[in-house]
Amino acid sequence: MPTAGQGIIDLLSKLDEDSVFALSRTVTQGLKRCNTIKDAWGLTHKTSQSSILSSNSDSNAVALNERSEKPESNVNVMAEQFSRWFYSMLNGDECGIEHFFPDASFSLNMYTNNHCDSTRIEGDATKIANSLLKLKSQNNLHFNPNDSQDGIQGRIDPHGLVMVLTCGTVHSQNTCAGVFEQVFALARDPFCDNNWKIKTTSLNLRSKSDVLELPKLCDSDLTSDLLMLPLE
């Protein structure tokens, strides 16, 4: 009887190069990049040995076990759930470093009239978490995402990362102070029970006193182009 490892080898040998590259991005959640088909083949084989694989002889489809199921199958649902969780946490003055990768990056653009103050932090999860909390507390902000398809969407980037696109209104002392747009890139952390963490996030804050309707992702320079990315 062939071993599980031999079964994986037989299965991979039936796939074309594009399928092997795509599978390598899926099983690593975009955390490792392969430059050659040999690297992609080897990484997929190594990573998949701990997963339960099954094949369909008609389509060469590959199904991973439930824990490693492709995130893009319900990427919009995931985006909605993540957004509710993240802004509930931030509005409650909580934002722990455990939610970010150690090499995470954060970009902040604050627009007031025709002026923009920009901040960028790279490779410092502690500083990112503290900056978000400081931004919220110093300005007494409350983030209110547009909880609809116009305001929250999920996408998959070319490297397999889950992109969460959000926008909404920002309030201060019960008054609408402006709008925001934010993008998150999420990946699983294999060193933390395969939990989802933030790889990068970009936030635009726009001071406005006359917000007449909820902002939409399609109207933002930060998010409109990302809507062209695939759902899977």
Side-chain angles (χ1 to χ4, degrees), residues 9-203:
I9 293 174
D10 292 342
L11 177 61
L12 291 176
S13 66
K14 299 177 182 178
L15 302 179
D16 57 31
E17 291 189 4
D18 289 340
S19 297
V20 174
F21 276 117
L23 183 57
S24 69
R25 290 195 299 269
T26 298
V27 298
T28 63
Q29 300 301 329
L31 293 175
K32 295 183 179 180
R33 184 180 300 180
C34 300
N35 296 318
T36 67
I37 186 62
K38 182 179 179 181
D39 291 341
W41 200 95
L43 183 59
T44 303
H45 176 222
K46 180 179 179 181
T47 307
S48 300
Q49 288 188 63
S50 60
S51 301
I52 301 173
L53 297 178
S54 63
S55 65
N56 183 309
S57 58
D58 294 331
S59 62
N60 285 332
V62 178
L64 301 181
N65 61 8
E66 183 177 357
R67 185 170 186 79
S68 300
E69 184 179 355
K70 290 175 67 176
E72 58 266 33
S73 59
N74 292 301
V75 68
N76 277 331
V77 174
M78 178 178 175
E80 293 171 5
Q81 293 175 343
F82 173 84
S83 296
R84 285 195 294 268
W85 165 80
F86 181 83
Y87 293 111
S88 175
M89 175 181 65
L90 185 58
N91 287 332
D93 296 316
E94 297 179 9
C95 188
I97 63 173
E98 67 273 14
H99 304 307
F100 299 86
F101 280 93
D103 62 347
S105 63
F106 170 50
S107 296
L108 171 65
N109 295 307
M110 299 181 66
Y111 297 90
T112 304
N113 297 325
N114 295 322
H115 181 69
C116 176
D117 287 326
S118 297
T119 301
R120 182 166 179 82
I121 302 172
E122 296 190 26
D124 194 331
T126 299
K127 193 171 182 180
I128 292 173
N130 290 340
S131 294
L132 284 166
L133 288 173
K134 182 178 179 181
L135 172 69
K136 190 267 179 188
S137 61
Q138 282 191 344
N139 298 281
N140 194 25
L141 299 180
H142 180 90
F143 290 83
N144 180 39
N146 177 2
D147 193 11
S148 72
Q149 287 191 345
D150 289 333
I152 300 175
Q153 289 274 331
R155 292 294 187 271
I156 304 298
D157 89 338
H159 305 296
L161 298 175
V162 173
M163 308 298 293
V164 176
L165 289 56
T166 65
C167 65
T169 52
V170 183
H171 301 258
S172 179
Q173 297 180 345
N174 298 321
T175 300
C176 183
V179 298
F180 77 92
E181 307 105 34
Q182 190 162 11
V183 174
F184 303 86
L186 309 180
R188 290 190 187 274
D189 185 352
F191 303 106
C192 188
D193 201 27
N194 221 26
N195 290 326
W196 292 98
K197 288 189 177 183
I198 300 169
K199 287 282 288 183
T200 66
T201 182
S202 299
L203 171 62

